[in-house]
Amino acid sequence: MDTASVTLGEALAGLDRGDWSSEELVSDLLARIEAGNGALNAYLDVDADDALSQARAADRQRARGERAPLLGAPLAVKDNINVAGQSCACASRILEGYKAPCDATAIARLRREGAVFLGRTNMDEFAMGSSTEYSARGPARNPRNPDCVPGGSSGGSAAAVAAGMALAALGSDTGGSIRQPAAFCGCVGFKPSYGRVSRYGLTAFASSLDQIGSLTRGVDDATRLFFSMAGPDARDATTVTLPLPAPEACRREDLKGVVIGVPKEYFPSALAPDVRAAVLAAAETCRALGAETRDISLPHTEYAMAVYYIVAPAEASANLARFDGVRYGRRAAGATSPMDLYCRTRSEGFGREVKRRILLGAYVLSSGYYDAYYLSAQKARTLIRDDFTAAFRDCDAILAPVTPSAAFRMGEKTEDPVQMYLTDVFTATANLAGLCALSLPCAMNADGLPLAAQLIGPAFREDAVLGAAAALERAWGGPTGWMGRRA
Ligand code: GLN
């Protein structure tokens, strides 16, 4: 077994055959983490004894003849998703030392299916960022080139999967935080539709946009984890009771009869030529697989960044009010009054980007500015959603870039927040409209960095995205096939 390249599905098949045990899988990953994490900072916390004891328990269950879809499968988890008893600090000083009191619903479901929780992955503080450079625990690096960022905010999850330190990982996606790091590191990043996976136990950033999803080495693993986590939850009123897609529809081999829209607004002149070439080559493969590709327009795309950077900070400013030094985590010393306690705790506890978002959010919600900013943004959000509704009348899925360029260099955008924000221009629209979307690695560029394409599907039609991605991946020779393709 080589945990550096095995997919979750292959690892599970090996467990079923008795080729290896969960303990062996976990030990191998722990050795890789020990050797590699110092350079990449992909994991924040790993409790080796705890991971090994979970693995041994899974092995004992298997020995007794018990079976579950993920029995003994090790997963890495972003530091903003609660796993009972493990740290859950959102890579923030304000939650330093905070331990999760219970499992997030997604985690409880994966646990019930037998998953083993390896450790906590690095992220931008409170998931605000696109490079994992805004982590209070230091930046993570891109395993394909350590001078480059792994993307963010789920950069630790993407780096761990790409570097062979995890077979698969969970992330959260509010404006692109699963898909963008997946694109930069060369993993499959899948964000289900808003309402599909419970947000209970995911530390809230922007509640109308947040969604839990996966970073994996192949499309089939994304499908597997999706079916394990999805479904209604009484603890999250935004989850839907609509039926899940048919699993066979997520595992397509061709694209006959499928119409794929290619939106012109997602191919601006500033798009990096290698990204453009990789996405257009993916369109070509779609046609070779029997799909029809159609030029479409999503005319309100140009407002997406302005809308996202009003709505997301507005919701964040409300959600982060709970970190006041009283209820969770850090409490500043020496306070002379409750107000002084709040001020000191929040001043010491939050990093610069989080403070910027809270200020932005409080500003756009304040009386006198609310109508001009927040209300206008909500109206524009509806127009963006309507664009997609119209497009999906004629198309089954949409093909677009994930990011304007391949991974950028460490430090390149940290001094210019607007440049950092613009890396979300192609991903935040799916969150604003509540759609499902997937980032699929397509090729390597001349510098040895991954290039990816994004598939966007209608809300609750995860099969449209997973099925098309499965067919493309297969056409390119399986989960690692893209590595041999050039753009
Ligand atoms: N990069 C975006 C932001 O900074 C998206 C973050 C996310 O999806 N969590 O808000």
Side-chain angles (χ1 to χ4, degrees):
M1 161 211 23
D2 181 9
T3 48
S5 58
V6 85
T7 64
L8 198 62
E10 288 161 355
L12 282 159
L15 286 167
D16 283 341
R17 284 191 306 265
D19 293 350
W20 48 69
S21 65
S22 177
E23 184 178 358
E24 285 171 314
L25 272 178
V26 168
S27 306
D28 199 71
L29 288 165
L30 289 171
R32 291 180 164 282
I33 295 168
E34 178 76 35
N37 199 51
L40 296 177
N41 203 22
Y43 281 92
L44 297 174
D45 299 291
V46 176
D47 181 340
D49 293 337
D50 177 53
L52 284 168
S53 90
Q54 293 177 60
R56 286 190 206 106
D59 287 333
R60 283 195 298 274
Q61 273 178 269
R62 197 173 275 280
R64 287 198 297 269
E66 292 173 33
R67 288 291 178 271
L70 296 171
L71 189 56
L75 298 176
V77 181
K78 187 177 180 177
D79 200 31
N80 60 350
I81 303 172
N82 283 259
V83 176
Q86 295 191 1
S87 126
C88 186
C90 302
S92 178
R93 278 192 304 273
I94 210 159
L95 282 172
E96 215 167 56
Y98 179 74
K99 293 263 187 294
C102 60
D103 281 340
T105 297
I107 296 293
R109 291 187 180 176
L110 293 165
R111 198 191 288 283
R112 207 169 54 213
E113 299 218 331
V116 167
F117 302 103
L118 252 191
R120 317 288 307 164
T121 57
N122 204 354
M123 56 185 283
D124 289 295
E125 184 179 0
F126 284 105
M128 297 171 188
S130 306
S131 67
T132 315
E133 291 168 295
Y134 300 141
S135 163
R137 306 269 303 269
R141 289 173 181 271
N142 190 316
R144 314 271 176 202
N145 177 349
D147 294 330
C148 291
V149 301
S153 63
S154 313
S157 289
V161 171
M165 299 194 290
L167 306 183
L170 298 192
S172 65
D173 192 312
T174 304
S177 275
I178 289 174
R179 290 161 286 154
Q180 187 256 25
F184 280 5
C185 291
C187 328
V188 174
F190 182 51
K191 182 197 93 69
S193 314
Y194 183 80
R196 201 56 118 169
V197 176
S198 170
R199 292 177 295 107
Y200 179 78
L202 166 67
T203 309
F205 162 7
S207 307
S208 75
L209 302 162
D210 298 341
Q211 190 65 192
I212 294 177
S214 61
L215 295 102
T216 57
R217 293 197 182 135
V219 177
D220 194 55
D221 289 350
T223 301
R224 200 180 283 275
L225 292 174
F226 168 68
F227 281 104
S228 295
M229 292 190 289
D233 177 18
R235 289 174 157 144
D236 174 1
T238 63
T239 52
V240 297
T241 50
L242 292 170
L244 291 172
E248 324 75 77
C250 302
R251 300 197 166 97
R252 290 184 70 113
E253 296 184 0
D254 65 55
L255 295 176
K256 291 194 187 92
V258 173
V259 179
I260 295 193
V262 183
K264 64 170 193 274
E265 291 80 4
Y266 284 64
F267 295 83
S269 55
L271 182 64
D274 54 2
V275 175
R276 179 188 304 269
V279 179
L280 294 179
E284 188 60 52
T285 309
C286 290
R287 287 190 288 273
L289 287 164
E292 179 196 332
T293 58
R294 210 175 271 182
D295 292 333
I296 61 165
S297 173
L298 297 166
H300 297 94
T301 303
E302 62 175 304
Y303 303 111
M305 281 297 86
V307 171
Y308 176 82
Y309 279 99
I310 291 172
V311 172
E315 295 183 17
S317 71
N319 276 325
L320 269 56
R322 72 189 60 162
F323 302 108
D324 54 6
V326 178
R327 286 172 287 183
Y328 306 91
R330 189 186 192 97
R331 175 172 302 177
T336 54
S337 67
M339 185 54 86
D340 189 37
L341 174 71
Y342 303 154
C343 291
R344 285 183 194 229
T345 302
R346 289 166 70 84
S347 304
E348 301 172 7
F350 289 135
R352 270 176 64 198
E353 181 59 27
V354 174
K355 286 178 184 159
R356 178 160 30 234
R357 304 282 179 115
I358 293 172
L359 291 173
L360 267 172
Y363 180 78
V364 300
L365 289 175
S366 56
S367 83
Y369 296 101
Y370 182 95
D371 288 1
Y373 294 107
Y374 187 71
L375 200 61
S376 306
Q378 292 292 21
K379 290 179 182 165
R381 181 178 183 174
T382 304
L383 296 174
I384 291 168
R385 179 181 294 146
D386 291 348
D387 281 356
F388 281 103
T389 307
F392 287 128
R393 277 191 208 112
D394 301 321
C395 305
D396 301 293
I398 288 171
L399 179 72
V402 183
T403 54
S405 71
F408 50 88
R409 298 186 86 75
M410 305 269 306
E412 195 180 304
K413 299 187 198 281
T414 37
E415 293 315 311
D416 186 345
V418 174
Q419 283 308 312
M420 190 72 91
Y421 294 170
L422 287 175
T423 68
D424 304 327
V425 59
F426 303 136
T427 46
T429 47
N431 304 77
L432 290 167
L435 311 173
C436 55
L438 180 144
S439 169
L440 182 70
C442 292
M444 284 285 193
N445 77 3
D447 304 322
L449 290 169
L451 298 166
Q454 181 175 204
L455 286 157
I456 305 173
F460 311 115
R461 288 301 309 276
E462 284 83 4
D463 54 325
V465 157
L466 292 165
L472 283 168
E473 181 189 78
R474 190 183 151 92
W476 295 333
T480 53
W482 65 273
M483 293 183 190
R485 292 166 49 84
R486 294 284 168 271

CSV table of all heavy atoms in Angstrom, one decimal, residues 286-312:
chain,number,residue,atom,x,y,z
A,286,CYS,N,-15.5,17.0,-22.9
A,286,CYS,CA,-16.9,16.9,-22.8
A,286,CYS,C,-17.6,16.5,-24.1
A,286,CYS,O,-18.4,15.6,-24.2
A,286,CYS,CB,-17.6,18.1,-22.2
A,286,CYS,SG,-17.1,18.5,-20.5
A,287,ARG,N,-17.2,17.2,-25.1
A,287,ARG,CA,-17.8,17.0,-26.5
A,287,ARG,C,-17.4,15.6,-26.9
A,287,ARG,O,-18.2,14.8,-27.5
A,287,ARG,CB,-17.3,18.0,-27.5
A,287,ARG,CG,-18.0,19.4,-27.3
A,287,ARG,CD,-17.7,20.4,-28.4
A,287,ARG,NE,-16.3,20.8,-28.4
A,287,ARG,CZ,-15.8,21.9,-27.7
A,287,ARG,NH1,-16.7,22.6,-27.0
A,287,ARG,NH2,-14.6,22.2,-27.8
A,288,ALA,N,-16.1,15.2,-26.7
A,288,ALA,CA,-15.7,13.9,-27.1
A,288,ALA,C,-16.5,12.8,-26.4
A,288,ALA,O,-16.7,11.7,-26.9
A,288,ALA,CB,-14.2,13.7,-26.9
A,289,LEU,N,-16.9,13.1,-25.2
A,289,LEU,CA,-17.7,12.1,-24.4
A,289,LEU,C,-19.2,12.1,-24.8
A,289,LEU,O,-20.0,11.4,-24.2
A,289,LEU,CB,-17.6,12.4,-22.9
A,289,LEU,CG,-16.2,12.1,-22.3
A,289,LEU,CD1,-16.0,12.8,-21.0
A,289,LEU,CD2,-16.1,10.5,-22.1
A,290,GLY,N,-19.6,13.0,-25.8
A,290,GLY,CA,-20.9,13.0,-26.2
A,290,GLY,C,-21.8,14.2,-25.8
A,290,GLY,O,-22.9,14.3,-26.2
A,291,ALA,N,-21.2,15.1,-25.0
A,291,ALA,CA,-22.0,16.3,-24.5
A,291,ALA,C,-22.0,17.3,-25.7
A,291,ALA,O,-21.2,17.4,-26.5
A,291,ALA,CB,-21.3,16.9,-23.3
A,292,GLU,N,-23.0,18.1,-25.5
A,292,GLU,CA,-23.1,19.3,-26.4
A,292,GLU,C,-22.6,20.5,-25.5
A,292,GLU,O,-23.1,20.6,-24.3
A,292,GLU,CB,-24.5,19.6,-26.8
A,292,GLU,CG,-24.7,20.8,-27.7
A,292,GLU,CD,-26.1,21.3,-27.8
A,292,GLU,OE1,-27.0,20.4,-27.7
A,292,GLU,OE2,-26.3,22.5,-28.0
A,293,THR,N,-21.7,21.3,-25.9
A,293,THR,CA,-21.3,22.5,-25.2
A,293,THR,C,-22.0,23.7,-25.8
A,293,THR,O,-22.1,23.8,-27.1
A,293,THR,CB,-19.8,22.7,-25.0
A,293,THR,OG1,-19.2,22.8,-26.3
A,293,THR,CG2,-19.1,21.6,-24.3
A,294,ARG,N,-22.4,24.6,-25.0
A,294,ARG,CA,-23.1,25.8,-25.5
A,294,ARG,C,-22.6,27.1,-24.9
A,294,ARG,O,-22.4,27.1,-23.7
A,294,ARG,CB,-24.6,25.6,-25.1
A,294,ARG,CG,-25.6,26.2,-26.1
A,294,ARG,CD,-27.0,25.8,-25.6
A,294,ARG,NE,-27.5,24.5,-26.2
A,294,ARG,CZ,-28.7,24.0,-26.0
A,294,ARG,NH1,-29.5,24.7,-25.2
A,294,ARG,NH2,-29.1,22.9,-26.6
A,295,ASP,N,-22.4,28.1,-25.7
A,295,ASP,CA,-22.0,29.4,-25.2
A,295,ASP,C,-23.2,30.0,-24.5
A,295,ASP,O,-24.2,30.1,-25.1
A,295,ASP,CB,-21.4,30.3,-26.3
A,295,ASP,CG,-20.1,29.8,-26.8
A,295,ASP,OD1,-19.4,29.1,-26.1
A,295,ASP,OD2,-19.9,30.1,-28.0
A,296,ILE,N,-23.0,30.4,-23.2
A,296,ILE,CA,-24.1,31.0,-22.5
A,296,ILE,C,-23.6,32.3,-21.9
A,296,ILE,O,-22.4,32.6,-21.9
A,296,ILE,CB,-24.7,30.1,-21.4
A,296,ILE,CG1,-23.6,29.8,-20.4
A,296,ILE,CG2,-25.2,28.9,-22.0
A,296,ILE,CD1,-24.2,29.2,-19.1
A,297,SER,N,-24.5,33.1,-21.3
A,297,SER,CA,-24.2,34.3,-20.6
A,297,SER,C,-24.8,34.3,-19.2
A,297,SER,O,-26.0,33.9,-19.1
A,297,SER,CB,-24.7,35.5,-21.4
A,297,SER,OG,-24.5,36.7,-20.7
A,298,LEU,N,-24.0,34.8,-18.3
A,298,LEU,CA,-24.5,35.0,-16.9
A,298,LEU,C,-24.3,36.5,-16.6
A,298,LEU,O,-23.3,36.9,-16.1
A,298,LEU,CB,-23.8,34.1,-15.9
A,298,LEU,CG,-24.0,32.6,-16.1
A,298,LEU,CD1,-22.9,31.8,-15.3
A,298,LEU,CD2,-25.4,32.1,-15.7
A,299,PRO,N,-25.2,37.3,-17.1
A,299,PRO,CA,-24.9,38.8,-17.2
A,299,PRO,C,-24.6,39.5,-15.9
A,299,PRO,O,-23.9,40.5,-16.0
A,299,PRO,CB,-26.1,39.3,-17.9
A,299,PRO,CG,-27.2,38.3,-17.8
A,299,PRO,CD,-26.5,37.0,-17.7
A,300,HIS,N,-25.0,39.0,-14.8
A,300,HIS,CA,-24.8,39.8,-13.6
A,300,HIS,C,-23.5,39.3,-12.8
A,300,HIS,O,-23.3,39.7,-11.7
A,300,HIS,CB,-26.0,39.7,-12.6
A,300,HIS,CG,-27.2,40.3,-13.3
A,300,HIS,ND1,-28.1,39.6,-14.0
A,300,HIS,CD2,-27.6,41.6,-13.3
A,300,HIS,CE1,-29.1,40.5,-14.4
A,300,HIS,NE2,-28.7,41.7,-14.1
A,301,THR,N,-22.7,38.5,-13.5
A,301,THR,CA,-21.5,38.0,-12.9
A,301,THR,C,-20.6,39.2,-12.3
A,301,THR,O,-19.9,39.0,-11.3
A,301,THR,CB,-20.7,37.2,-13.9
A,301,THR,OG1,-21.5,36.1,-14.3
A,301,THR,CG2,-19.4,36.6,-13.3
A,302,GLU,N,-20.6,40.3,-13.1
A,302,GLU,CA,-19.7,41.4,-12.7
A,302,GLU,C,-20.0,41.9,-11.3
A,302,GLU,O,-19.1,42.6,-10.7
A,302,GLU,CB,-19.7,42.5,-13.7
A,302,GLU,CG,-21.1,43.1,-13.9
A,302,GLU,CD,-21.0,44.4,-14.8
A,302,GLU,OE1,-20.2,45.3,-14.6
A,302,GLU,OE2,-21.8,44.3,-15.8
A,303,TYR,N,-21.2,41.7,-10.8
A,303,TYR,CA,-21.5,42.2,-9.4
A,303,TYR,C,-21.2,41.2,-8.3
A,303,TYR,O,-21.3,41.5,-7.1
A,303,TYR,CB,-23.0,42.5,-9.4
A,303,TYR,CG,-23.4,43.5,-10.4
A,303,TYR,CD1,-24.3,43.2,-11.5
A,303,TYR,CD2,-23.0,44.8,-10.4
A,303,TYR,CE1,-24.6,44.1,-12.5
A,303,TYR,CE2,-23.3,45.8,-11.4
A,303,TYR,CZ,-24.1,45.4,-12.4
A,303,TYR,OH,-24.4,46.3,-13.4
A,304,ALA,N,-20.7,40.0,-8.7
A,304,ALA,CA,-20.6,38.9,-7.7
A,304,ALA,C,-19.6,39.3,-6.6
A,304,ALA,O,-19.9,39.1,-5.4
A,304,ALA,CB,-20.2,37.6,-8.4
A,305,MET,N,-18.5,39.8,-6.9
A,305,MET,CA,-17.5,40.1,-5.9
A,305,MET,C,-18.0,41.2,-4.9
A,305,MET,O,-17.9,41.1,-3.7
A,305,MET,CB,-16.2,40.6,-6.5
A,305,MET,CG,-15.4,39.5,-7.0
A,305,MET,SD,-14.8,38.3,-5.7
A,305,MET,CE,-16.2,37.2,-5.6
A,306,ALA,N,-18.6,42.3,-5.5
A,306,ALA,CA,-19.2,43.3,-4.6
A,306,ALA,C,-20.3,42.7,-3.7
A,306,ALA,O,-20.3,43.0,-2.5
A,306,ALA,CB,-19.7,44.4,-5.5
A,307,VAL,N,-21.1,41.9,-4.2
A,307,VAL,CA,-22.2,41.3,-3.4
A,307,VAL,C,-21.6,40.4,-2.4
A,307,VAL,O,-22.0,40.5,-1.2
A,307,VAL,CB,-23.2,40.5,-4.4
A,307,VAL,CG1,-24.2,39.8,-3.5
A,307,VAL,CG2,-23.9,41.5,-5.3
A,308,TYR,N,-20.7,39.5,-2.8
A,308,TYR,CA,-20.2,38.6,-1.8
A,308,TYR,C,-19.5,39.3,-0.7
A,308,TYR,O,-19.6,39.0,0.5
A,308,TYR,CB,-19.2,37.6,-2.5
A,308,TYR,CG,-18.5,36.7,-1.5
A,308,TYR,CD1,-19.1,35.6,-1.1
A,308,TYR,CD2,-17.2,37.0,-1.0
A,308,TYR,CE1,-18.5,34.7,-0.1
A,308,TYR,CE2,-16.6,36.2,0.0
A,308,TYR,CZ,-17.3,35.1,0.4
A,308,TYR,OH,-16.7,34.3,1.3
A,309,TYR,N,-18.7,40.4,-1.0
A,309,TYR,CA,-17.9,41.1,0.1
A,309,TYR,C,-18.8,42.1,0.8
A,309,TYR,O,-18.2,42.9,1.6
A,309,TYR,CB,-16.6,41.6,-0.5
A,309,TYR,CG,-15.6,40.5,-0.5
A,309,TYR,CD1,-15.3,39.7,-1.7
A,309,TYR,CD2,-15.0,40.0,0.7
A,309,TYR,CE1,-14.4,38.7,-1.7
A,309,TYR,CE2,-14.1,38.9,0.7
A,309,TYR,CZ,-13.8,38.3,-0.5
A,309,TYR,OH,-13.0,37.2,-0.5
A,310,ILE,N,-20.1,42.1,0.6
A,310,ILE,CA,-21.0,42.8,1.5
A,310,ILE,C,-21.7,41.8,2.3
A,310,ILE,O,-21.8,41.8,3.5
A,310,ILE,CB,-22.0,43.7,0.7
A,310,ILE,CG1,-21.2,44.9,0.1
A,310,ILE,CG2,-23.1,44.2,1.6
A,310,ILE,CD1,-22.0,45.7,-0.9
A,311,VAL,N,-22.3,40.8,1.6
A,311,VAL,CA,-23.1,39.8,2.4
A,311,VAL,C,-22.3,39.0,3.3
A,311,VAL,O,-22.7,38.8,4.5
A,311,VAL,CB,-23.8,38.8,1.3
A,311,VAL,CG1,-24.5,37.7,2.1
A,311,VAL,CG2,-24.8,39.6,0.5
A,312,ALA,N,-21.1,38.5,2.9
A,312,ALA,CA,-20.3,37.6,3.8
A,312,ALA,C,-19.8,38.3,5.0
A,312,ALA,O,-20.0,37.8,6.1
A,312,ALA,CB,-19.2,36.9,3.0
